[in-house]
Amino acid sequence: MQDLSAFFREAGTGPGVVCLHSNASSSSQWRGLMERLAPQFHVLAADSFGAGKSPAWPIDRQVALRDEVALLEPVFALAGEPMVLVGHSYGAAIALIATIVHPQRVRALALFEPTLFALVDAETPPPNAADGIRSAVAGAGVALDKGDPSEAARCFIDYWMGAGAWKHTPDARKGPIEGSMVNVRNWAHALLTEPTPLAAFAAMNIPVLYMTGKKSPESSLGVARLLTRTLPNVRVVEFDSLGHMGPVTHPEVVNDEICRFLKSL
């Protein structure tokens, strides 16, 4: 890897908390949580490859989740040890792999539906619960090849948020999401080819808050079923009225749960 580092936002003083965002988003996703935690914690929210102000995805090779962890190394160093990782979707998957790579550095995890789809494929070969996301990525890829990033975004956002969600997305938000779609195949490759076996998470004996939305797609719920029965010290919270994008659509509800969890540590 080149000598690259992630862009990050920073607030507060105290024990370190690092927040990692979902696909088609950026570190700005966590502004509300940062404000709430800053009086008691040193909070850092980072952009992953190709998001916000972080470096673009390399064009000469495929990037894995461990490369995302390496990109975040300066952020983790600033957070100090032991830190808490907060993650949503792709960011939650990075948080899990960061804990596998640096187990001594992570005190606890607060996760909203990590999308480690490779676990689903390893447990049950396709057809399986990950077929929906494969189909959405394929549709988005076809649209990108035709030069239609808006249609690519529709495929992706409607999968995660329900049919018609893209149509009702505010125009101010559509531009950045359309721009992020260039990364959709990279996201899928990293999540569908991650080699860490499910058994590795059985040794992750730290407190884990695992949040899900009852209205979420089968792909992320399929991952949840596997991880919540494997992680040895996990507390599961299901939000009846939320879907996979709950931390974005209803941040206060999710942030309340994260704050309660951090206070319990």
Side-chain angles (χ1 to χ4, degrees), residues 92-106:
I94 296 172
L96 282 165
I97 299 307
T99 307
I100 291 289
V101 174
H102 301 296
Q104 76 285 354
R105 300 176 74 174
V106 181

Side-chain angles (χ1 to χ4, degrees), residues 21 25 47-57 68 71 179-180 182-183 187:
H21 62 86
S25 186
D47 291 337
S48 61
F49 271 114
K53 298 179 181 179
S54 276
W57 284 70
E68 296 277 16
L71 179 73
S180 75
V182 68
N183 300 315
W187 301 332

Side-chain angles (χ1 to χ4, degrees), residues 60-213:
D60 58 341
R61 69 184 192 90
Q62 294 281 7
V63 167
L65 292 177
R66 280 167 173 74
D67 296 315
E68 296 277 16
V69 174
L71 179 73
L72 293 166
E73 174 57 35
V75 182
F76 295 153
L78 280 174
E81 299 180 18
M83 61 186 165
V84 175
L85 299 182
V86 176
H88 171 213
S89 191
Y90 185 75
I94 296 172
L96 282 165
I97 299 307
T99 307
I100 291 289
V101 174
H102 301 296
Q104 76 285 354
R105 300 176 74 174
V106 181
R107 175 188 178 198
L109 295 169
L111 310 174
F112 197 105
E113 294 189 11
T115 46
L116 278 176
F117 304 125
L119 297 178
V120 175
D121 284 350
E123 183 78 3
T124 307
N128 59 28
D131 289 346
I133 187 59
R134 269 189 284 269
S135 178
V137 169
V142 169
L144 286 174
D145 291 343
K146 293 179 178 178
D148 191 348
S150 179
E151 174 59 15
R154 186 201 64 76
C155 292
F156 191 75
I157 297 300
D158 280 10
Y159 173 75
W160 285 117
M161 300 184 71
W166 178 245
K167 180 180 179 181
H168 295 99
T169 299
D171 289 342
R173 293 178 55 194
K174 282 187 173 180
I177 295 173
E178 288 179 12
S180 75
M181 286 298 105
V182 68
N183 300 315
V184 69
R185 289 184 173 117
N186 293 326
W187 301 332
H189 181 270
L191 296 168
L192 285 162
T193 63
E194 170 55 44
T196 304
L198 183 63
F201 299 101
M204 196 177 288
N205 194 21
I206 58 173
V208 178
L209 170 65
Y210 199 117
M211 296 169 283
T212 66

